[in-house]
Amino acid sequence: NLRYQLQVAQDALALTTAVAQDSSLEGPGTGLPNSRFLDVWMKGHMHHARRHKETLCVALWEWSRKAPGADAIRKIAQGLRGGDLMVELAPKRVLLLLPQTPREGAQGLLERIAGELGNPPMGATQWLPDRDDLMLGAAMRRAEQARQEAVLARGGITWKQPTEVRLDPGPENADPA
């Protein structure tokens, strides 16, 4: 009887742990994957993308109280391709990652999403495997800058493309003055 009670308690603990782990990977507002899930996803995908020189489109937006809410976001996420990832970074803040997607394809998808969500300001960029870091830091900053520009423009999709890498001139490259 004691062994049975111990087994029941262990099963309940295992179930509770599994539920807690599962819910710790979901955003509370939408049920979309959250930033913890994004970290796991990046570990599995970014090295592969760099090795195979695959670009990645990155889009970022927020939605207001007036815009369609979490139900609309979930519906859009369900319609994405299998390799695409929509993440709830914070309440009412969404990140969309589109592997192996050219800018033109991403633009069309973002226009459709914007139409379904009431045209929120969206920022977008491309992650380039030979220039950007593996944790998407530079691409996320560009997407946020583009989103802020879209906010100033009162909506729409703004792209901020990666610029050429510029090295600081060392003594051997400095202009002689």
Side-chain angles (χ1 to χ4, degrees):
N1 193 12
L2 188 58
R3 279 192 172 162
Y4 175 75
Q5 288 176 342
L6 179 60
Q7 183 62 45
V8 169
Q10 286 177 332
D11 290 345
L13 180 59
L15 180 60
T16 302
T17 302
V19 168
Q21 287 175 343
D22 185 50
S23 64
S24 72
L25 298 176
E26 291 181 356
T30 60
L32 292 175
N34 64 15
S35 57
R36 285 187 187 136
F37 183 91
L38 177 62
D39 291 342
V40 172
W41 184 89
M42 285 192 300
K43 287 176 186 172
H45 288 82
M46 300 309 285
H47 289 288
H48 178 270
R50 177 162 283 167
R51 193 171 40 251
H52 295 285
K53 304 219 181 292
E54 297 171 354
T55 61
L56 175 78
C57 284
V58 178
L60 187 63
W61 70 89
E62 296 178 359
W63 75 92
S64 68
R65 293 177 299 197
K66 300 174 194 172
D71 290 337
I73 295 288
R74 280 191 295 273
K75 181 180 175 190
I76 291 167
Q78 290 170 352
L80 295 174
R81 298 175 305 176
D84 298 342
L85 178 64
M86 188 178 287
V87 177
E88 180 181 344
L89 290 180
K92 299 190 177 193
R93 185 171 176 84
V94 177
L95 171 71
L96 177 61
L97 301 175
L98 303 169
Q100 301 178 12
T101 304
R103 178 180 168 163
E104 299 76 26
Q107 178 71 25
L109 177 60
L110 291 175
E111 287 171 359
R112 183 180 62 80
I113 291 171
E116 292 179 28
L117 296 178
N119 199 31
M122 295 178 144
T125 190
Q126 288 180 298
W127 175 82
L128 301 176
D130 56 342
R131 292 191 199 156
D132 287 324
D133 59 290
L134 287 175
M135 297 309 288
L136 294 176
M140 294 278 289
R141 285 188 296 279
R142 285 193 306 271
E144 176 56 24
Q145 290 171 347
R147 189 195 68 78
Q148 290 175 3
E149 290 175 17
V151 167
L152 293 175
R154 299 189 189 275
I157 303 162
T158 301
W159 284 82
K160 190 161 234 24
Q161 288 301 103
T163 56
E164 293 295 323
V165 175
R166 296 186 185 185
L167 301 174
D168 292 334
E172 66 279 353
N173 294 331
D175 288 335

